[in-house]
Amino acid sequence: MAKRLKDTAIRRDRQALLVAVTVVVQAVAAVFFVADALDDVADAGVTTHIAIEGLIAFALLAGVVLGALHMRVLLAEARRREQSLSIARGALGAHVAERFRDWGLTAAESDVALFALKGCDAAEIARLRGAAAGTVRAQLSQVYAKAGVTSQAALVSLFVDDLLDWPQNAGS
Amino acid sequence: MDTTPELTTPRRWDPIVKLTHWGVVAAVIGNAILTEEGSGWHIWLGYGLAALLALRLLWGLIGPAEARFSAFPPSPARAAAHIGEIGRGEVTQHRSHNPLGALMVYAIWATLLVVCGTGIAMSGPPPADPFAQRGEHAERTAATGAQVQEEREEDEAGEERESGEGEGEESELGEVHEIAVNLLYVLIALHLAGVIFETRRSGPQIVRSILPGG
Ligand code: HEM
């Protein structure tokens, strides 16, 4: 899950970089073009050719400004997402800790429950904690009993149910 | 609450700041050691630099908060306070350039503007063919009116040096150009010294913040 979030962030960074490169190239092109058009005005005065060049110059410069504004929106969105995610993470952590306390889990049981929430099975938790699989299985059933559920999936869905507010509610 | 994420995520510059920074670095180095003074390529690189600088200045008005001028106002008072902090060994996090760095940034930008301005005033518009020599080009801009078109064609070989008229003004510009460039080199040396100093003081994050992917 963390990996997927990271991949998304990398993809967004690439997208922002692409827009930025375009804006930079456009800015350089615009400056060259405007300098050249000014030279033409100095040489030949205002002609239809110049009028068209002026139009193109305007379009290029407008493109630079709009590209820069678009870039800023992309950056602001990325930042907002990062922030709300990190706020949500902090909130989820606090909420989980509070529930564990309410259920009266011991320190060891809390650890095991946290691994269970992250999707580890008993064997993996045993390996991660350097404990016997039997011990972990016993602790897990203690956790389920205290939480009032009968499976790992049900334990996870307790928190999903607490925290998930589907946008369609907010939108109405 | 809303300040926590900013403090925990390491600060880094956005792609526009990064691209314009390294583009300017490339142009400065290119024009310092690769291109011949006053050559077509020199003028092209100069125009490119001017464009990057212009984009960065636009970004200072409409970019994200930390890239805006308002995030790093040129303030000698705050710079002095920052020196005091350095003396006391305190390290504060800055969202944008630190106050001393801000003064350096404005000094570099002002110098670059003078360099680009005098360069463009001397060279005129960028030559259509950067392989062309300076003599042809300077002459073209010194000449007036209808002459220009003819001369442009005649002087294709571009061997002739510029003629006497307008030279006084030109060499004055040239002098300002040269002085500004030398000042720029001094500022760059100070800039690099500042970056190295700050890296030792508060860690490599400052350099990472402007590197690609950092
Ligand atoms: C031609 C040489 C250079 C020039 C003219 C130059 C100029 C500048 C300017 C104008 C800024 C402000 C960036 C902005 O806000 O847009 C800046 C920032 C910076 N430069 Fe350079 N630079 C040069 C070379 C270098 C080199 C070789 C490094 C090597 C690491 C470097 C490291 C940095 C860093 C780390 C910052 C960000 C400082 C901060 O976060 O406050 N610069 N430079």
Side-chain angles (χ1 to χ4, degrees):
Chain A
M1 157 121 163
K3 183 172 178 303
R4 228 188 9 252
L5 282 174
K6 206 166 162 208
D7 287 349
T8 318
I10 288 171
R11 205 169 52 237
R12 272 197 216 106
D13 277 358
R14 283 220 191 96
Q15 201 185 350
L17 183 62
L18 199 66
V19 177
V21 169
T22 311
V23 171
V24 168
V25 172
Q26 230 172 350
V28 172
V31 164
F32 271 80
F33 190 85
V34 168
D36 202 55
L38 288 177
D39 184 37
D40 286 355
V41 177
D43 280 357
V46 178
T47 61
T48 36
H49 178 71
I50 296 291
I52 290 170
E53 279 191 344
L55 208 62
I56 299 173
F58 173 76
L60 268 172
L61 292 174
V64 172
V65 174
L66 290 178
L69 288 171
H70 176 59
M71 179 80 223
R72 192 180 92 193
V73 171
L74 282 182
L75 291 171
E77 266 173 9
R79 197 155 309 178
R80 201 161 43 240
R81 235 179 262 120
E82 241 168 57
Q83 280 193 4
S84 58
L85 194 60
S86 112
I87 289 171
R89 274 210 188 101
L92 179 58
H95 178 67
V96 167
E98 200 173 313
R99 291 295 286 258
F100 285 3
R101 220 174 22 247
D102 289 348
W103 297 336
L105 300 192
T106 65
E109 283 165 357
S110 294
D111 268 6
V112 169
L114 201 58
F115 281 125
L117 282 184
K118 289 188 175 232
C120 303
D121 64 24
E124 277 171 315
I125 299 173
R127 196 166 41 75
L128 287 166
R129 286 176 51 79
T135 316
V136 170
R137 236 172 262 121
Q139 285 165 329
L140 268 181
S141 33
Q142 271 299 312
V143 169
Y144 294 163
K146 288 178 176 175
V149 296
T150 52
S151 71
Q152 189 172 354
L155 179 72
V156 173
S157 62
L158 279 181
F159 292 98
V160 174
D161 192 44
D162 282 347
L163 288 175
L164 187 64
D165 185 12
W166 199 246
Q168 79 189 25
N169 300 339
S172 62
Chain B
M1 191 78 187
D2 60 329
T3 58
T4 349
E6 261 193 29
L7 289 177
T8 49
T9 51
R11 138 193 193 286
R12 51 176 203 168
W13 290 103
D14 65 73
I16 295 274
V17 170
K18 288 180 183 174
L19 286 170
T20 53
H21 179 261
W22 294 111
V24 166
V25 172
V28 167
I29 292 176
N31 264 354
I33 59 182
L34 292 182
T35 66
E36 200 177 314
E37 248 176 67
S39 66
W41 287 110
H42 189 87
I43 297 168
W44 270 50
L45 266 186
Y47 267 97
L49 198 164
L52 294 171
L53 185 58
L55 177 61
R56 177 60 183 94
L57 295 181
L58 171 71
W59 202 230
L61 296 174
I62 66 170
E66 74 275 3
R68 288 199 204 183
F69 302 134
S70 55
F72 55 105
S75 157
R78 297 212 310 167
H82 184 74
I83 292 174
E85 264 178 30
I86 292 175
R88 292 191 298 277
E90 292 168 16
V91 178
T92 32
Q93 285 263 355
H94 294 276
R95 197 177 47 148
S96 185
H97 302 294
N98 73 47
L100 213 50
L103 289 186
M104 176 56 69
V105 170
Y106 286 111
I108 292 179
W109 283 340
T111 312
L112 283 174
L113 281 175
V114 172
V115 171
C116 291
T118 51
I120 289 172
M122 280 190 289
S123 70
D129 175 9
F131 287 103
Q133 290 298 304
R134 179 200 185 173
E136 171 196 12
H137 195 71
E139 200 157 296
R140 179 155 76 80
T141 47
T144 48
Q147 252 182 310
V148 172
Q149 293 289 0
E150 286 168 27
E151 248 166 57
R152 196 186 290 186
E153 273 131 41
E154 274 169 27
D155 272 344
E156 210 71 305
E159 250 132 55
E160 267 165 61
R161 285 276 131 189
E162 65 191 80
S163 51
E165 40 171 340
E167 182 147 277
E169 186 194 344
E170 191 119 305
S171 67
E172 227 164 75
L173 281 174
E175 227 159 83
V176 177
H177 192 70
E178 212 151 285
I179 292 170
V181 166
N182 286 326
L183 175 61
L184 180 66
Y185 294 157
V186 173
L187 292 176
I188 290 171
L190 285 174
H191 170 52
L192 293 180
V195 170
I196 291 169
F197 176 75
E198 195 56 37
T199 306
R200 296 192 152 176
R201 199 169 84 91
S202 60
Q205 179 50 37
I206 183 155
V207 176
R208 226 177 275 145
S209 73
I210 199 139
L211 289 179

